[in-house]
Amino acid sequence: MLDKKKLILFGSLAVVVVALVVAFIVWMLTSLGSDSGGEARPTPSPSQSASVSPEIAAFTPQLEQTAVAVATAASSWSSAATPETRVQQYRNAGMSAEYASVYKPIWAGVFSGTTMSEVTSSVRTKPVLMEATGDLGYLTFKVAVPVDWRASWNFGNGQKFQSGSNPWILTVDEHTGLVTAVDQPAVDDIDITLDRPSS
């Protein structure tokens, strides 16, 4: 009879010890998932970490593609092309008709006096939105487009080649989706050695 009572007592103690161990483990696991104040750490929602202003969001991928296309066309040059051909190339890229008719590429002055000159351009780096002004739907964006160019020219003393990279700054109109102005680099900012022949 005595053995039976001892067995029940030891069994009860064992159950209590197991329950305490389980309770301790549960308490440890829950406290590890909390910060020092005992409250669970909030995880930032995607909308909080990826919030974008309406003005930046308004500069759509389509407008970015237009900026790249116009920067490529505006920074290219061929002495063989007629002024009319150039205007059409600018308009096809996404420049407004009004601005395309008055735009003068910097290369026209750089390569004056050559027997031939040509510049091919490409954009391999993402354009940078510098600012957005105005009201939504009618915003004006200033966009810096990094252009890689390769020039070839001849003053009659042999063909020369040179490559470089400069930003072309474009003004993009949200409402029309067209480029309405282009700020070209200054001649002094273009790293090119022409070696003009002495007269």
Side-chain angles (χ1 to χ4, degrees):
M1 202 73 177
L2 188 60
D3 290 336
K4 202 174 189 183
K5 283 186 179 178
K6 281 184 181 177
L7 231 104
I8 291 172
L9 182 61
F10 284 126
S12 300
L13 282 173
V15 169
V16 169
V17 169
V18 169
L20 285 173
V21 169
V22 170
F24 179 73
I25 290 171
V26 170
W27 177 78
M28 286 296 289
L29 290 174
T30 55
S31 66
L32 284 175
S34 304
D35 58 15
S36 57
E39 295 176 3
R41 293 175 186 153
T43 54
S45 67
S47 59
Q48 287 175 329
S49 58
S51 61
V52 175
S53 74
E55 291 79 12
I56 293 174
F59 187 64
T60 61
Q62 290 79 12
L63 292 176
E64 182 178 299
Q65 288 171 6
T66 298
V68 168
V70 171
T72 303
S75 60
S76 299
W77 168 258
S78 173
S79 58
T82 65
E84 294 78 16
T85 301
R86 289 192 198 104
V87 168
Q88 193 58 51
Q89 288 171 341
Y90 302 147
R91 291 186 63 182
N92 290 345
M95 192 182 282
S96 71
E98 296 80 11
Y99 192 70
S101 64
V102 298
Y103 176 73
K104 300 290 182 231
I106 191 171
W107 303 117
V110 169
F111 293 121
S112 64
T114 59
T115 58
M116 68 75 58
S117 55
E118 188 170 303
V119 179
T120 57
S121 299
S122 63
V123 176
R124 294 180 295 161
T125 309
K126 189 176 176 64
V128 177
L129 177 60
M130 299 170 63
E131 66 176 20
T133 56
D135 298 321
L136 283 174
Y138 296 89
L139 290 167
T140 300
F141 301 104
K142 281 274 191 189
V143 187
V145 183
V147 173
D148 297 320
W149 51 265
R150 177 171 170 76
S152 61
W153 67 94
N154 192 335
F155 282 105
N157 57 350
Q159 194 168 6
K160 305 284 195 296
F161 299 90
Q162 194 164 341
S163 298
S165 184
N166 293 90
W168 262 250
I169 313 281
L170 278 63
T171 302
V172 184
D173 179 68
E174 180 191 12
H175 184 63
T176 63
L178 299 174
V179 170
T180 57
V182 177
D183 293 328
Q184 304 177 80
V187 173
D188 292 342
D189 293 331
I190 293 179
D191 186 16
I192 191 166
T193 306
L194 294 174
D195 291 330
R196 293 179 185 270
S198 54
S199 47

